[in-house]
Amino acid sequence: MARTIATKLIPALCALAVALPIAAALYLAHHQSMQEESDAALMMASEVLRRSMAAGDQAISAEDRLRDQDGDPCSDAAIARMRDIDMASTYLQMVGYVADGRLMCSSMGRHGDGIPLGPVEYVSRLGTRVRRSVPPGLGEGKRFLVLERHHYAAAIHPEMVTDIYPVHPELSLGIYGSRSGLLMSGRGP
C-alpha cells in the first residue's frame, strides 16, 4: 500500500516540481511587465505635467511683465515687449492685451477692432480666464488654449504639452482640469 501511494505521489511531486517554477516565472514576468508599464505611464504623466506647469509659469511671468508697464497697453513699446516675451518663451505662441473679450494687440501687432476670443470656459482659483479652443485668427487654421489674466493673454498651442513620444501615436495623453472637469489638451482616442 505504501508503494502504491509512493508511485502515485512521486509523479505528482515531479509535476509540481516542474509546474511550480514555471508558474512562479510567469507570475514574476507578468508582475515585472506590469511594473514596467506603470513606470512608463508615470514617466509620461510626469513629462506632460512638467510641460503644462512650464507653460503656465511662462504665461504668468508674461502677464507679470506686461502688467508692470505704464501707458497704452498697445503702444509700440508694449508690442515690442510682447514680442520679446514671445520670442523668449518655449511654450507661448503669442502674448497680448485683451479688452471686452477681444485681443486688441499682441506680439503679432495691432488687431484693429480686435480678434474675438470667444466665451470663457473656466476661471481658475487664481483668476485666470481659460478659453480652450480659440478659433483661427491667431494662426492659420490652428486653435489655441488662451489663458487671460488682468487683461493680458497668452496663447499656447494645445499640442505643445502633449507632443511627447510622437513615434507612438496610439498613446492617449492629456491634461485634465481636476477642478473644472475640462480636458484642456489631449491627444489620442
Side-chain angles (χ1 to χ4, degrees), residues 94 98 101-103 108 115-121 129-148 153-158 184:
M94 175 281 312
V98 177
R102 300 176 80 77
L103 185 66
M108 298 183 293
I115 298 170
L117 297 177
V120 172
E121 295 177 79
R129 300 161 56 92
V130 179
R131 295 171 176 93
R132 293 182 302 156
S133 188
V134 174
L138 295 180
E140 196 164 313
K142 296 183 187 230
R143 298 181 91 66
F144 296 89
L145 173 68
V146 175
L147 309 174
E148 175 199 342
I156 301 166
H157 195 287
M184 298 297 174

PDB file of all heavy atoms in Angstrom, residues 94 98 101-103 108 115-121 129-148 153-158 184:
ATOM      1  N   MET A  94       1.947  83.276 -28.446  1.00  0.00           N
ATOM      2  CA  MET A  94       1.608  84.683 -28.592  1.00  0.00           C
ATOM      3  C   MET A  94       1.246  85.208 -27.214  1.00  0.00           C
ATOM      4  O   MET A  94       0.724  84.467 -26.384  1.00  0.00           O
ATOM      5  CB  MET A  94       0.414  84.794 -29.554  1.00  0.00           C
ATOM      6  CG  MET A  94      -0.190  86.163 -29.760  1.00  0.00           C
ATOM      7  SD  MET A  94      -1.314  86.797 -28.502  1.00  0.00           S
ATOM      8  CE  MET A  94      -2.443  85.503 -28.193  1.00  0.00           C
ATOM      9  N   VAL A  98      -6.040  92.124 -23.901  1.00  0.00           N
ATOM     10  CA  VAL A  98      -7.443  91.795 -24.143  1.00  0.00           C
ATOM     11  C   VAL A  98      -8.345  92.863 -23.526  1.00  0.00           C
ATOM     12  O   VAL A  98      -8.137  93.280 -22.390  1.00  0.00           O
ATOM     13  CB  VAL A  98      -7.804  90.414 -23.530  1.00  0.00           C
ATOM     14  CG1 VAL A  98      -9.276  90.103 -23.703  1.00  0.00           C
ATOM     15  CG2 VAL A  98      -6.937  89.324 -24.136  1.00  0.00           C
ATOM     16  N   GLY A 101     -13.148  90.828 -24.146  1.00  0.00           N
ATOM     17  CA  GLY A 101     -13.114  89.529 -24.814  1.00  0.00           C
ATOM     18  C   GLY A 101     -12.494  89.542 -26.199  1.00  0.00           C
ATOM     19  O   GLY A 101     -12.642  88.583 -26.960  1.00  0.00           O
ATOM     20  N   ARG A 102     -11.830  90.615 -26.543  1.00  0.00           N
ATOM     21  CA  ARG A 102     -11.200  90.739 -27.860  1.00  0.00           C
ATOM     22  C   ARG A 102      -9.707  91.009 -27.688  1.00  0.00           C
ATOM     23  O   ARG A 102      -9.314  91.829 -26.862  1.00  0.00           O
ATOM     24  CB  ARG A 102     -11.850  91.863 -28.663  1.00  0.00           C
ATOM     25  CG  ARG A 102     -13.342  91.636 -28.895  1.00  0.00           C
ATOM     26  CD  ARG A 102     -13.999  92.811 -29.607  1.00  0.00           C
ATOM     27  NE  ARG A 102     -13.788  92.803 -31.038  1.00  0.00           N
ATOM     28  CZ  ARG A 102     -14.420  92.027 -31.899  1.00  0.00           C
ATOM     29  NH1 ARG A 102     -15.291  91.150 -31.466  1.00  0.00           N
ATOM     30  NH2 ARG A 102     -14.181  92.102 -33.185  1.00  0.00           N
ATOM     31  N   LEU A 103      -8.907  90.334 -28.481  1.00  0.00           N
ATOM     32  CA  LEU A 103      -7.460  90.541 -28.482  1.00  0.00           C
ATOM     33  C   LEU A 103      -7.180  91.799 -29.300  1.00  0.00           C
ATOM     34  O   LEU A 103      -7.346  91.810 -30.520  1.00  0.00           O
ATOM     35  CB  LEU A 103      -6.753  89.327 -29.088  1.00  0.00           C
ATOM     36  CG  LEU A 103      -5.240  89.347 -29.060  1.00  0.00           C
ATOM     37  CD1 LEU A 103      -4.729  89.272 -27.626  1.00  0.00           C
ATOM     38  CD2 LEU A 103      -4.685  88.195 -29.888  1.00  0.00           C
ATOM     39  N   MET A 108       2.096  89.869 -32.274  1.00  0.00           N
ATOM     40  CA  MET A 108       1.994  89.882 -33.742  1.00  0.00           C
ATOM     41  C   MET A 108       1.633  91.272 -34.267  1.00  0.00           C
ATOM     42  O   MET A 108       1.566  91.476 -35.466  1.00  0.00           O
ATOM     43  CB  MET A 108       0.955  88.866 -34.205  1.00  0.00           C
ATOM     44  CG  MET A 108       1.306  87.443 -33.823  1.00  0.00           C
ATOM     45  SD  MET A 108       0.132  86.207 -34.434  1.00  0.00           S
ATOM     46  CE  MET A 108      -1.331  86.600 -33.495  1.00  0.00           C
ATOM     47  N   ILE A 115      -9.509  90.754 -32.161  1.00  0.00           N
ATOM     48  CA  ILE A 115      -9.874  89.389 -32.554  1.00  0.00           C
ATOM     49  C   ILE A 115     -10.741  88.809 -31.442  1.00  0.00           C
ATOM     50  O   ILE A 115     -10.298  88.745 -30.287  1.00  0.00           O
ATOM     51  CB  ILE A 115      -8.618  88.518 -32.747  1.00  0.00           C
ATOM     52  CG1 ILE A 115      -7.744  89.076 -33.870  1.00  0.00           C
ATOM     53  CG2 ILE A 115      -8.997  87.064 -33.012  1.00  0.00           C
ATOM     54  CD1 ILE A 115      -6.379  88.422 -33.979  1.00  0.00           C
ATOM     55  N   PRO A 116     -11.975  88.401 -31.758  1.00  0.00           N
ATOM     56  CA  PRO A 116     -12.816  87.825 -30.702  1.00  0.00           C
ATOM     57  C   PRO A 116     -12.236  86.496 -30.200  1.00  0.00           C
ATOM     58  O   PRO A 116     -11.882  85.630 -30.995  1.00  0.00           O
ATOM     59  CB  PRO A 116     -14.165  87.616 -31.374  1.00  0.00           C
ATOM     60  CG  PRO A 116     -13.918  87.693 -32.837  1.00  0.00           C
ATOM     61  CD  PRO A 116     -12.623  88.417 -33.048  1.00  0.00           C
ATOM     62  N   LEU A 117     -12.130  86.364 -28.880  1.00  0.00           N
ATOM     63  CA  LEU A 117     -11.554  85.158 -28.292  1.00  0.00           C
ATOM     64  C   LEU A 117     -12.611  84.111 -27.927  1.00  0.00           C
ATOM     65  O   LEU A 117     -12.263  82.993 -27.601  1.00  0.00           O
ATOM     66  CB  LEU A 117     -10.737  85.525 -27.038  1.00  0.00           C
ATOM     67  CG  LEU A 117      -9.531  86.417 -27.296  1.00  0.00           C
ATOM     68  CD1 LEU A 117      -8.855  86.781 -25.983  1.00  0.00           C
ATOM     69  CD2 LEU A 117      -8.550  85.741 -28.237  1.00  0.00           C
ATOM     70  N   GLY A 118     -13.871  84.490 -27.984  1.00  0.00           N
ATOM     71  CA  GLY A 118     -14.923  83.533 -27.636  1.00  0.00           C
ATOM     72  C   GLY A 118     -15.173  83.513 -26.137  1.00  0.00           C
ATOM     73  O   GLY A 118     -14.529  84.222 -25.365  1.00  0.00           O
ATOM     74  N   PRO A 119     -16.123  82.686 -25.738  1.00  0.00           N
ATOM     75  CA  PRO A 119     -16.517  82.672 -24.329  1.00  0.00           C
ATOM     76  C   PRO A 119     -15.448  82.057 -23.421  1.00  0.00           C
ATOM     77  O   PRO A 119     -14.720  81.154 -23.826  1.00  0.00           O
ATOM     78  CB  PRO A 119     -17.788  81.809 -24.319  1.00  0.00           C
ATOM     79  CG  PRO A 119     -17.668  80.946 -25.534  1.00  0.00           C
ATOM     80  CD  PRO A 119     -16.907  81.756 -26.550  1.00  0.00           C
ATOM     81  N   VAL A 120     -15.402  82.553 -22.204  1.00  0.00           N
ATOM     82  CA  VAL A 120     -14.527  81.988 -21.180  1.00  0.00           C
ATOM     83  C   VAL A 120     -15.170  80.684 -20.715  1.00  0.00           C
ATOM     84  O   VAL A 120     -16.359  80.639 -20.402  1.00  0.00           O
ATOM     85  CB  VAL A 120     -14.367  82.964 -19.987  1.00  0.00           C
ATOM     86  CG1 VAL A 120     -13.620  82.308 -18.838  1.00  0.00           C
ATOM     87  CG2 VAL A 120     -13.673  84.231 -20.449  1.00  0.00           C
ATOM     88  N   GLU A 121     -14.395  79.613 -20.685  1.00  0.00           N
ATOM     89  CA  GLU A 121     -14.931  78.314 -20.291  1.00  0.00           C
ATOM     90  C   GLU A 121     -14.696  77.993 -18.822  1.00  0.00           C
ATOM     91  O   GLU A 121     -15.388  77.152 -18.251  1.00  0.00           O
ATOM     92  CB  GLU A 121     -14.301  77.214 -21.152  1.00  0.00           C
ATOM     93  CG  GLU A 121     -14.679  77.351 -22.610  1.00  0.00           C
ATOM     94  CD  GLU A 121     -13.998  76.307 -23.450  1.00  0.00           C
ATOM     95  OE1 GLU A 121     -14.468  75.160 -23.462  1.00  0.00           O
ATOM     96  OE2 GLU A 121     -12.984  76.662 -24.084  1.00  0.00           O
ATOM     97  N   ARG A 129      -8.596  83.374 -16.697  1.00  0.00           N
ATOM     98  CA  ARG A 129      -9.742  83.038 -17.554  1.00  0.00           C
ATOM     99  C   ARG A 129      -9.231  82.126 -18.671  1.00  0.00           C
ATOM    100  O   ARG A 129      -8.306  82.495 -19.381  1.00  0.00           O
ATOM    101  CB  ARG A 129     -10.358  84.322 -18.097  1.00  0.00           C
ATOM    102  CG  ARG A 129     -10.844  85.230 -16.955  1.00  0.00           C
ATOM    103  CD  ARG A 129     -11.029  86.680 -17.371  1.00  0.00           C
ATOM    104  NE  ARG A 129     -11.913  86.878 -18.489  1.00  0.00           N
ATOM    105  CZ  ARG A 129     -13.218  87.108 -18.401  1.00  0.00           C
ATOM    106  NH1 ARG A 129     -13.789  87.174 -17.221  1.00  0.00           N
ATOM    107  NH2 ARG A 129     -13.952  87.289 -19.478  1.00  0.00           N
ATOM    108  N   VAL A 130      -9.855  80.972 -18.800  1.00  0.00           N
ATOM    109  CA  VAL A 130      -9.374  79.952 -19.729  1.00  0.00           C
ATOM    110  C   VAL A 130     -10.356  79.786 -20.883  1.00  0.00           C
ATOM    111  O   VAL A 130     -11.560  79.614 -20.669  1.00  0.00           O
ATOM    112  CB  VAL A 130      -9.181  78.593 -19.007  1.00  0.00           C
ATOM    113  CG1 VAL A 130      -8.714  77.526 -19.983  1.00  0.00           C
ATOM    114  CG2 VAL A 130      -8.203  78.741 -17.843  1.00  0.00           C
ATOM    115  N   ARG A 131      -9.797  79.834 -22.078  1.00  0.00           N
ATOM    116  CA  ARG A 131     -10.538  79.515 -23.299  1.00  0.00           C
ATOM    117  C   ARG A 131      -9.761  78.380 -23.948  1.00  0.00           C
ATOM    118  O   ARG A 131      -8.604  78.548 -24.301  1.00  0.00           O
ATOM    119  CB  ARG A 131     -10.613  80.723 -24.221  1.00  0.00           C
ATOM    120  CG  ARG A 131     -11.415  81.875 -23.643  1.00  0.00           C
ATOM    121  CD  ARG A 131     -11.240  83.108 -24.523  1.00  0.00           C
ATOM    122  NE  ARG A 131     -12.045  84.219 -24.093  1.00  0.00           N
ATOM    123  CZ  ARG A 131     -11.636  85.180 -23.274  1.00  0.00           C
ATOM    124  NH1 ARG A 131     -10.411  85.154 -22.773  1.00  0.00           N
ATOM    125  NH2 ARG A 131     -12.440  86.168 -22.946  1.00  0.00           N
ATOM    126  N   ARG A 132     -10.400  77.231 -24.099  1.00  0.00           N
ATOM    127  CA  ARG A 132      -9.667  76.042 -24.550  1.00  0.00           C
ATOM    128  C   ARG A 132      -9.469  75.943 -26.045  1.00  0.00           C
ATOM    129  O   ARG A 132      -8.565  75.251 -26.494  1.00  0.00           O
ATOM    130  CB  ARG A 132     -10.397  74.766 -24.084  1.00  0.00           C
ATOM    131  CG  ARG A 132     -10.383  74.576 -22.603  1.00  0.00           C
ATOM    132  CD  ARG A 132     -11.065  73.300 -22.212  1.00  0.00           C
ATOM    133  NE  ARG A 132     -12.439  73.295 -22.685  1.00  0.00           N
ATOM    134  CZ  ARG A 132     -13.144  72.212 -22.918  1.00  0.00           C
ATOM    135  NH1 ARG A 132     -12.613  71.034 -22.747  1.00  0.00           N
ATOM    136  NH2 ARG A 132     -14.387  72.294 -23.325  1.00  0.00           N
ATOM    137  N   SER A 133     -10.304  76.583 -26.825  1.00  0.00           N
ATOM    138  CA  SER A 133     -10.206  76.380 -28.266  1.00  0.00           C
ATOM    139  C   SER A 133     -10.542  77.666 -29.011  1.00  0.00           C
ATOM    140  O   SER A 133     -11.595  77.804 -29.607  1.00  0.00           O
ATOM    141  CB  SER A 133     -11.164  75.252 -28.677  1.00  0.00           C
ATOM    142  OG  SER A 133     -10.967  74.917 -30.019  1.00  0.00           O
ATOM    143  N   VAL A 134      -9.605  78.599 -28.972  1.00  0.00           N
ATOM    144  CA  VAL A 134      -9.812  79.873 -29.653  1.00  0.00           C
ATOM    145  C   VAL A 134      -9.646  79.629 -31.146  1.00  0.00           C
ATOM    146  O   VAL A 134      -8.649  79.061 -31.586  1.00  0.00           O
ATOM    147  CB  VAL A 134      -8.832  80.944 -29.126  1.00  0.00           C
ATOM    148  CG1 VAL A 134      -8.958  82.226 -29.931  1.00  0.00           C
ATOM    149  CG2 VAL A 134      -9.102  81.212 -27.653  1.00  0.00           C
ATOM    150  N   PRO A 135     -10.645  80.049 -31.929  1.00  0.00           N
ATOM    151  CA  PRO A 135     -10.647  79.761 -33.367  1.00  0.00           C
ATOM    152  C   PRO A 135      -9.578  80.526 -34.137  1.00  0.00           C
ATOM    153  O   PRO A 135      -8.920  81.406 -33.598  1.00  0.00           O
ATOM    154  CB  PRO A 135     -12.046  80.180 -33.800  1.00  0.00           C
ATOM    155  CG  PRO A 135     -12.503  81.150 -32.786  1.00  0.00           C
ATOM    156  CD  PRO A 135     -11.814  80.796 -31.502  1.00  0.00           C
ATOM    157  N   PRO A 136      -9.459  80.167 -35.408  1.00  0.00           N
ATOM    158  CA  PRO A 136      -8.479  80.841 -36.267  1.00  0.00           C
ATOM    159  C   PRO A 136      -8.614  82.355 -36.184  1.00  0.00           C
ATOM    160  O   PRO A 136      -9.665  82.891 -35.925  1.00  0.00           O
ATOM    161  CB  PRO A 136      -8.827  80.331 -37.663  1.00  0.00           C
ATOM    162  CG  PRO A 136      -9.458  79.004 -37.413  1.00  0.00           C
ATOM    163  CD  PRO A 136     -10.210  79.152 -36.111  1.00  0.00           C
ATOM    164  N   GLY A 137      -7.543  82.993 -36.459  1.00  0.00           N
ATOM    165  CA  GLY A 137      -7.435  84.443 -36.324  1.00  0.00           C
ATOM    166  C   GLY A 137      -6.114  84.728 -35.648  1.00  0.00           C
ATOM    167  O   GLY A 137      -5.499  85.748 -35.865  1.00  0.00           O
ATOM    168  N   LEU A 138      -5.678  83.771 -34.844  1.00  0.00           N
ATOM    169  CA  LEU A 138      -4.360  83.871 -34.221  1.00  0.00           C
ATOM    170  C   LEU A 138      -3.326  83.132 -35.058  1.00  0.00           C
ATOM    171  O   LEU A 138      -2.150  83.414 -34.988  1.00  0.00           O
ATOM    172  CB  LEU A 138      -4.371  83.272 -32.810  1.00  0.00           C
ATOM    173  CG  LEU A 138      -5.241  83.968 -31.785  1.00  0.00           C
ATOM    174  CD1 LEU A 138      -5.152  83.250 -30.450  1.00  0.00           C
ATOM    175  CD2 LEU A 138      -4.796  85.402 -31.622  1.00  0.00           C
ATOM    176  N   GLY A 139      -3.770  82.161 -35.808  1.00  0.00           N
ATOM    177  CA  GLY A 139      -2.866  81.378 -36.644  1.00  0.00           C
ATOM    178  C   GLY A 139      -3.702  80.630 -37.659  1.00  0.00           C
ATOM    179  O   GLY A 139      -4.828  80.247 -37.383  1.00  0.00           O
ATOM    180  N   GLU A 140      -3.177  80.446 -38.823  1.00  0.00           N
ATOM    181  CA  GLU A 140      -3.935  79.857 -39.911  1.00  0.00           C
ATOM    182  C   GLU A 140      -4.445  78.454 -39.576  1.00  0.00           C
ATOM    183  O   GLU A 140      -3.681  77.500 -39.499  1.00  0.00           O
ATOM    184  CB  GLU A 140      -3.076  79.816 -41.167  1.00  0.00           C
ATOM    185  CG  GLU A 140      -3.898  79.589 -42.408  1.00  0.00           C
ATOM    186  CD  GLU A 140      -3.123  79.942 -43.653  1.00  0.00           C
ATOM    187  OE1 GLU A 140      -2.501  81.016 -43.674  1.00  0.00           O
ATOM    188  OE2 GLU A 140      -3.148  79.134 -44.582  1.00  0.00           O
ATOM    189  N   GLY A 141      -5.751  78.351 -39.359  1.00  0.00           N
ATOM    190  CA  GLY A 141      -6.386  77.057 -39.136  1.00  0.00           C
ATOM    191  C   GLY A 141      -6.084  76.401 -37.804  1.00  0.00           C
ATOM    192  O   GLY A 141      -6.550  75.316 -37.537  1.00  0.00           O
ATOM    193  N   LYS A 142      -5.323  77.046 -36.937  1.00  0.00           N
ATOM    194  CA  LYS A 142      -4.972  76.431 -35.660  1.00  0.00           C
ATOM    195  C   LYS A 142      -5.884  76.953 -34.568  1.00  0.00           C
ATOM    196  O   LYS A 142      -6.388  78.062 -34.633  1.00  0.00           O
ATOM    197  CB  LYS A 142      -3.511  76.726 -35.308  1.00  0.00           C
ATOM    198  CG  LYS A 142      -2.560  76.114 -36.296  1.00  0.00           C
ATOM    199  CD  LYS A 142      -1.132  76.343 -35.898  1.00  0.00           C
ATOM    200  CE  LYS A 142      -0.248  75.858 -37.012  1.00  0.00           C
ATOM    201  NZ  LYS A 142       0.784  75.018 -36.674  1.00  0.00           N
ATOM    202  N   ARG A 143      -6.085  76.130 -33.551  1.00  0.00           N
ATOM    203  CA  ARG A 143      -6.855  76.531 -32.385  1.00  0.00           C
ATOM    204  C   ARG A 143      -5.898  76.569 -31.202  1.00  0.00           C
ATOM    205  O   ARG A 143      -4.989  75.768 -31.115  1.00  0.00           O
ATOM    206  CB  ARG A 143      -8.006  75.569 -32.178  1.00  0.00           C
ATOM    207  CG  ARG A 143      -8.971  75.597 -33.384  1.00  0.00           C
ATOM    208  CD  ARG A 143     -10.135  74.675 -33.213  1.00  0.00           C
ATOM    209  NE  ARG A 143     -11.313  75.227 -32.616  1.00  0.00           N
ATOM    210  CZ  ARG A 143     -12.101  76.159 -33.131  1.00  0.00           C
ATOM    211  NH1 ARG A 143     -11.802  76.695 -34.264  1.00  0.00           N
ATOM    212  NH2 ARG A 143     -13.182  76.558 -32.502  1.00  0.00           N
ATOM    213  N   PHE A 144      -6.123  77.520 -30.322  1.00  0.00           N
ATOM    214  CA  PHE A 144      -5.202  77.744 -29.224  1.00  0.00           C
ATOM    215  C   PHE A 144      -5.906  77.689 -27.880  1.00  0.00           C
ATOM    216  O   PHE A 144      -7.088  78.004 -27.763  1.00  0.00           O
ATOM    217  CB  PHE A 144      -4.533  79.113 -29.370  1.00  0.00           C
ATOM    218  CG  PHE A 144      -3.672  79.225 -30.584  1.00  0.00           C
ATOM    219  CD1 PHE A 144      -4.194  79.645 -31.794  1.00  0.00           C
ATOM    220  CD2 PHE A 144      -2.333  78.900 -30.524  1.00  0.00           C
ATOM    221  CE1 PHE A 144      -3.408  79.743 -32.923  1.00  0.00           C
ATOM    222  CE2 PHE A 144      -1.526  78.991 -31.655  1.00  0.00           C
ATOM    223  CZ  PHE A 144      -2.070  79.406 -32.850  1.00  0.00           C
ATOM    224  N   LEU A 145      -5.153  77.321 -26.875  1.00  0.00           N
ATOM    225  CA  LEU A 145      -5.571  77.429 -25.487  1.00  0.00           C
ATOM    226  C   LEU A 145      -5.116  78.821 -25.062  1.00  0.00           C
ATOM    227  O   LEU A 145      -3.925  79.145 -25.157  1.00  0.00           O
ATOM    228  CB  LEU A 145      -4.880  76.354 -24.640  1.00  0.00           C
ATOM    229  CG  LEU A 145      -5.072  76.413 -23.140  1.00  0.00           C
ATOM    230  CD1 LEU A 145      -6.519  76.088 -22.783  1.00  0.00           C
ATOM    231  CD2 LEU A 145      -4.143  75.418 -22.462  1.00  0.00           C
ATOM    232  N   VAL A 146      -6.062  79.673 -24.653  1.00  0.00           N
ATOM    233  CA  VAL A 146      -5.717  81.043 -24.283  1.00  0.00           C
ATOM    234  C   VAL A 146      -5.988  81.246 -22.799  1.00  0.00           C
ATOM    235  O   VAL A 146      -7.082  80.976 -22.312  1.00  0.00           O
ATOM    236  CB  VAL A 146      -6.499  82.072 -25.125  1.00  0.00           C
ATOM    237  CG1 VAL A 146      -6.224  83.489 -24.658  1.00  0.00           C
ATOM    238  CG2 VAL A 146      -6.135  81.934 -26.610  1.00  0.00           C
ATOM    239  N   LEU A 147      -4.951  81.697 -22.104  1.00  0.00           N
ATOM    240  CA  LEU A 147      -5.028  81.997 -20.674  1.00  0.00           C
ATOM    241  C   LEU A 147      -4.972  83.512 -20.529  1.00  0.00           C
ATOM    242  O   LEU A 147      -4.027  84.153 -21.001  1.00  0.00           O
ATOM    243  CB  LEU A 147      -3.851  81.350 -19.936  1.00  0.00           C
ATOM    244  CG  LEU A 147      -3.630  79.862 -20.201  1.00  0.00           C
ATOM    245  CD1 LEU A 147      -2.353  79.383 -19.521  1.00  0.00           C
ATOM    246  CD2 LEU A 147      -4.820  79.046 -19.729  1.00  0.00           C
ATOM    247  N   GLU A 148      -5.976  84.088 -19.876  1.00  0.00           N
ATOM    248  CA  GLU A 148      -6.052  85.543 -19.728  1.00  0.00           C
ATOM    249  C   GLU A 148      -6.153  85.915 -18.260  1.00  0.00           C
ATOM    250  O   GLU A 148      -6.921  85.312 -17.510  1.00  0.00           O
ATOM    251  CB  GLU A 148      -7.279  86.082 -20.467  1.00  0.00           C
ATOM    252  CG  GLU A 148      -7.502  87.563 -20.270  1.00  0.00           C
ATOM    253  CD  GLU A 148      -8.915  88.001 -20.609  1.00  0.00           C
ATOM    254  OE1 GLU A 148      -9.639  87.266 -21.297  1.00  0.00           O
ATOM    255  OE2 GLU A 148      -9.290  89.088 -20.152  1.00  0.00           O
ATOM    256  N   ALA A 153      -3.146  88.204 -22.154  1.00  0.00           N
ATOM    257  CA  ALA A 153      -3.397  86.821 -22.555  1.00  0.00           C
ATOM    258  C   ALA A 153      -2.135  86.181 -23.112  1.00  0.00           C
ATOM    259  O   ALA A 153      -1.263  86.861 -23.655  1.00  0.00           O
ATOM    260  CB  ALA A 153      -4.500  86.778 -23.620  1.00  0.00           C
ATOM    261  N   ALA A 154      -2.101  84.874 -22.953  1.00  0.00           N
ATOM    262  CA  ALA A 154      -1.029  84.076 -23.552  1.00  0.00           C
ATOM    263  C   ALA A 154      -1.699  82.925 -24.291  1.00  0.00           C
ATOM    264  O   ALA A 154      -2.590  82.266 -23.747  1.00  0.00           O
ATOM    265  CB  ALA A 154      -0.088  83.551 -22.476  1.00  0.00           C
ATOM    266  N   ALA A 155      -1.289  82.705 -25.521  1.00  0.00           N
ATOM    267  CA  ALA A 155      -1.831  81.605 -26.320  1.00  0.00           C
ATOM    268  C   ALA A 155      -0.812  80.471 -26.357  1.00  0.00           C
ATOM    269  O   ALA A 155       0.383  80.697 -26.563  1.00  0.00           O
ATOM    270  CB  ALA A 155      -2.141  82.069 -27.739  1.00  0.00           C
ATOM    271  N   ILE A 156      -1.322  79.282 -26.133  1.00  0.00           N
ATOM    272  CA  ILE A 156      -0.490  78.079 -26.138  1.00  0.00           C
ATOM    273  C   ILE A 156      -1.104  77.123 -27.138  1.00  0.00           C
ATOM    274  O   ILE A 156      -2.312  76.883 -27.111  1.00  0.00           O
ATOM    275  CB  ILE A 156      -0.470  77.429 -24.735  1.00  0.00           C
ATOM    276  CG1 ILE A 156       0.070  78.412 -23.701  1.00  0.00           C
ATOM    277  CG2 ILE A 156       0.337  76.137 -24.748  1.00  0.00           C
ATOM    278  CD1 ILE A 156      -0.190  77.994 -22.269  1.00  0.00           C
ATOM    279  N   HIS A 157      -0.286  76.572 -28.013  1.00  0.00           N
ATOM    280  CA  HIS A 157      -0.805  75.545 -28.910  1.00  0.00           C
ATOM    281  C   HIS A 157      -1.045  74.312 -28.048  1.00  0.00           C
ATOM    282  O   HIS A 157      -0.131  73.844 -27.370  1.00  0.00           O
ATOM    283  CB  HIS A 157       0.184  75.247 -30.040  1.00  0.00           C
ATOM    284  CG  HIS A 157      -0.441  74.488 -31.147  1.00  0.00           C
ATOM    285  ND1 HIS A 157      -0.769  73.166 -31.035  1.00  0.00           N
ATOM    286  CD2 HIS A 157      -0.851  74.879 -32.371  1.00  0.00           C
ATOM    287  CE1 HIS A 157      -1.325  72.761 -32.152  1.00  0.00           C
ATOM    288  NE2 HIS A 157      -1.387  73.783 -32.980  1.00  0.00           N
ATOM    289  N   PRO A 158      -2.258  73.767 -28.022  1.00  0.00           N
ATOM    290  CA  PRO A 158      -2.579  72.661 -27.109  1.00  0.00           C
ATOM    291  C   PRO A 158      -1.666  71.446 -27.249  1.00  0.00           C
ATOM    292  O   PRO A 158      -1.423  70.746 -26.278  1.00  0.00           O
ATOM    293  CB  PRO A 158      -4.015  72.297 -27.459  1.00  0.00           C
ATOM    294  CG  PRO A 158      -4.565  73.464 -28.173  1.00  0.00           C
ATOM    295  CD  PRO A 158      -3.410  74.168 -28.819  1.00  0.00           C
ATOM    296  N   MET A 184      -8.171  70.057 -21.028  1.00  0.00           N
ATOM    297  CA  MET A 184      -7.503  71.271 -21.522  1.00  0.00           C
ATOM    298  C   MET A 184      -6.745  71.004 -22.815  1.00  0.00           C
ATOM    299  O   MET A 184      -6.671  71.860 -23.689  1.00  0.00           O
ATOM    300  CB  MET A 184      -6.530  71.810 -20.470  1.00  0.00           C
ATOM    301  CG  MET A 184      -7.179  72.213 -19.183  1.00  0.00           C
ATOM    302  SD  MET A 184      -8.321  73.570 -19.445  1.00  0.00           S
ATOM    303  CE  MET A 184      -9.041  73.686 -17.839  1.00  0.00           C
TER     304      MET A 184
END
